[in-house]
């Protein structure tokens, strides 16, 4: 896509003023790094990093029995989601494949959905096709979304709104922050404590500058966001999950609510139940390579006999573990922790070990 055709986020001018290197991501001109991916990654693990994720899609679902209507196409227990709470769930197709992974927050009179950037238009059309006339889905793609992540995130946020300190992981609120009306959830995709803040685009720069004025906060780009989520063992749509992958093979069975497993009455439920009962042929697992060079997405994996065993779906250098980390699908018989595999890297074979996820423990504020 030509640069002139790229969409921009509300903080585009701020990113450039901070020296960001911009790249095309999901059709948006987005900051990939500022001072460097490793420095931004480690700062997030130690203090707090501010990410602009405004390219993601926010949408509101409302109407009588909106939760029940959404349950037709997602795996989560949405009717059981209490006001002020958020839940991770999966949007499904009729074949049991994952259309997207998304967040759903119950704001009391409506549901707030946060969709992946590259899937948001697909998601809206897919959800609308299964809604009754009494329920509406309204995209709010013009709103900004900021993510403050890291162990100091709570303390930083409390300087702007002391009541934020009492929020727990996956709690959702509507409130005023620095005089701005926002939706805020205690969540994120780094494995660290943190918050995601939805707000009008015109107010985004003011809030971003207020957060960056705190010495504990530095800006971080998509590069660090990717290495952070990979160390946390969190799948990326388009790499680790897509419409050809089911929740069981992807290790996302937890996103199928207990009540949903009683009837499997969501789109593709019968297909997912069949995999659940029989066991998947492949599983998404954590992978550690010998040496320091990362094994990238697309690398083929072989077993000890040299037979095809799977493929890497995400791979990078993990700054927090000081070594390469990866996710990949491998044959079920090779998916046990401690299993050894082989990958080709720059013309030579290297050893790969299946390891437990996450690579770095989650530190959510529960």
């Amino acid at each position: 896509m030509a640069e002139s055709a790229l969409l921009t986020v509300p903080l585009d001018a701020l990113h450039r003023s901070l020296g960001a290197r911009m790249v095309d991501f999901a059709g948006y001109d987005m900051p990939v790094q500022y001072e460097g991916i490793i420095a931004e990654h480690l700062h997030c693990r130690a203090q707090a990093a501010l990410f602009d994720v405004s390219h993601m899609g926010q949408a509101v679902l409302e109407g009588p029995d909106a939760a029940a209507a959404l349950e037709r196409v997602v795996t989560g227990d949405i009717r059981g989601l209490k006001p002020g709470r958020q839940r991770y769930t999966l949007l499904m197709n009729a074949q049991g494949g994952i259309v997207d992974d998304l967040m759903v927050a119950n704001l009391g009179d409506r549901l707030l959905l946060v969709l992946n950037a590259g899937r948001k238009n697909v998601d809206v059309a897919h959800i609308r096709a299964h809604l009754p006339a009494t329920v509406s889905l309204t995209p709010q793609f013009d709103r900004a979304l900021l993510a403050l992540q890291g162990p100091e995130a709570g303390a930083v946020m409390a300087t702007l709104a002391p009541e934020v300190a009492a929020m727990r992981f996956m709690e959702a609120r509507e409130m005023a922050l620095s005089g701005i009306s926002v939706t805020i959830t205690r969540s994120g995709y780094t494995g660290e404590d943190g918050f995601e803040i939805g707000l009008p685009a015109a107010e985004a720069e003011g809030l971003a500058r207020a957060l960056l004025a705190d010495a504990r906060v530095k800006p971080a780009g998509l590069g660090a966001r990717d290495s952070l989520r990979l160390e946390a063992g969190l799948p990326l749509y388009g790499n680790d999950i897509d419409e050809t992958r089911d929740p069981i093979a992807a290790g996302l069975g937890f996103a199928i609510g207990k009540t949903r497993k009683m009837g499997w009455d969501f789109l593709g439920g019968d297909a997912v139940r069949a995999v659940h009962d029989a066991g998947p042929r492949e599983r998404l697992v954590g992978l550690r390579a010998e040496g320091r060079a990362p094994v990238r997405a697309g690398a083929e994996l072989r077993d000890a006999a040299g037979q095809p065993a799977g493929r890497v779906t995400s791979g990078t250098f993990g700054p927090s573990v000081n070594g390469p980390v990866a996710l990949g699908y491998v044959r079920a018989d090779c998916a046990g922790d401690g299993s050894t595999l082989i990958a080709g890297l720059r013309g030579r074979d290297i050893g790969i070990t299946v390891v437990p996820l996450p690579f770095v423990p989650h530190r959510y504020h529960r």
Side-chain angles (χ1 to χ4, degrees):
M1 183 178 292
E3 185 173 351
S4 60
L6 292 178
L7 299 171
T8 57
V9 289
L11 294 181
D12 183 77
L14 178 60
H15 296 317
R16 296 177 188 279
S17 72
L18 294 172
R21 182 162 72 86
M22 308 295 283
V23 298
D24 175 0
F25 184 82
Y28 283 80
D29 213 4
M30 294 293 294
V32 68
Q33 66 179 57
Y34 299 84
E35 62 175 306
I37 292 173
I38 291 178
E40 293 162 26
H41 176 117
L42 293 176
H43 187 81
C44 183
R45 291 274 188 247
Q47 296 190 60
L50 183 65
F51 299 85
D52 182 2
V53 289
S54 301
H55 59 314
M56 299 183 71
Q58 299 171 75
V60 169
L61 189 73
E62 53 193 338
D65 299 318
L70 184 60
E71 282 191 355
R72 297 179 181 182
V73 290
V74 302
T75 60
D77 176 11
I78 308 302
R79 282 178 286 186
L81 183 62
K82 296 179 180 180
R85 298 296 300 171
Q86 178 177 253
R87 179 160 290 157
Y88 173 84
T89 191
L90 305 172
L91 182 63
M92 304 298 295
N93 64 24
Q95 294 73 43
I98 303 170
V99 176
D100 200 5
D101 60 337
L102 62 148
M103 291 291 193
V104 180
N106 185 345
L107 298 181
D109 60 344
R110 65 200 188 282
L111 298 175
L112 174 66
L113 280 55
V114 179
L115 316 168
N116 279 307
R119 302 295 290 174
K120 58 188 181 183
N121 292 309
V122 171
D123 292 355
V124 167
H126 186 64
I127 294 170
R128 281 177 171 169
H130 294 87
L131 292 179
T134 56
V135 178
S136 63
L137 180 64
T138 306
Q140 297 184 333
F141 294 170
D142 58 339
R143 282 176 66 82
L145 187 64
L146 306 181
L148 183 69
Q149 301 284 294
E152 295 289 339
V156 171
M157 290 293 293
T159 65
L160 303 181
E163 62 269 34
V164 169
M167 292 180 67
R168 312 298 292 180
F169 180 57
M170 296 299 260
E171 186 173 339
R173 292 188 186 183
E174 294 180 280
M175 60 188 297
L177 196 63
S178 293
I180 304 166
S181 178
V182 305
T183 57
I184 181 169
T185 62
R186 195 155 198 167
S187 63
Y189 220 59
T190 61
E192 297 292 333
D193 182 25
F195 302 84
E196 292 196 345
I197 310 159
L199 70 166
E203 307 285 357
E205 184 169 338
L207 180 58
R209 288 188 180 278
L211 292 169
L212 290 170
D214 192 302
R216 294 167 289 188
V217 182
K218 289 186 177 182
L222 294 179
R225 182 174 167 86
D226 187 57
S227 57
L228 287 159
R229 70 89 193 168
L230 185 48
E231 283 188 345
L234 303 174
L236 177 67
Y237 196 92
N239 281 46
D240 312 301
I241 51 176
D242 56 36
E243 293 205 44
T244 70
R245 298 295 185 178
D246 67 85
I248 309 303
L252 299 175
F254 68 88
I256 306 173
K258 291 181 180 178
T259 60
R260 310 309 307 280
K261 289 180 180 178
M262 296 173 65
W264 300 90
D265 55 347
F266 52 85
L267 191 66
D270 289 342
V272 177
R273 182 179 186 174
V275 178
H276 175 272
D277 292 348
R281 296 180 179 178
E282 292 185 315
R283 293 185 182 275
L284 185 66
V285 298
L287 302 166
R288 290 296 303 267
E290 62 184 22
R292 293 179 59 81
V295 178
R296 302 293 186 180
E300 299 295 331
L301 301 171
R302 291 171 281 131
D303 62 19
Q307 296 302 305
R311 183 174 61 86
V312 174
T313 53
S314 290
T316 192
F317 182 83
S320 303
V321 300
N322 195 32
V325 293
L327 295 176
Y329 283 91
V330 303
R331 292 193 331 247
D333 62 301
C334 299
D337 292 342
S339 296
T340 56
L341 303 169
I342 301 166
L345 179 65
R346 300 171 186 169
R348 62 186 180 88
D349 287 344
I350 62 168
I352 304 284
T353 303
V354 176
V355 298
L357 292 173
F359 299 101
V360 172
H362 297 163
R363 297 197 289 182
Y364 303 132
H365 188 75
R366 299 190 184 275

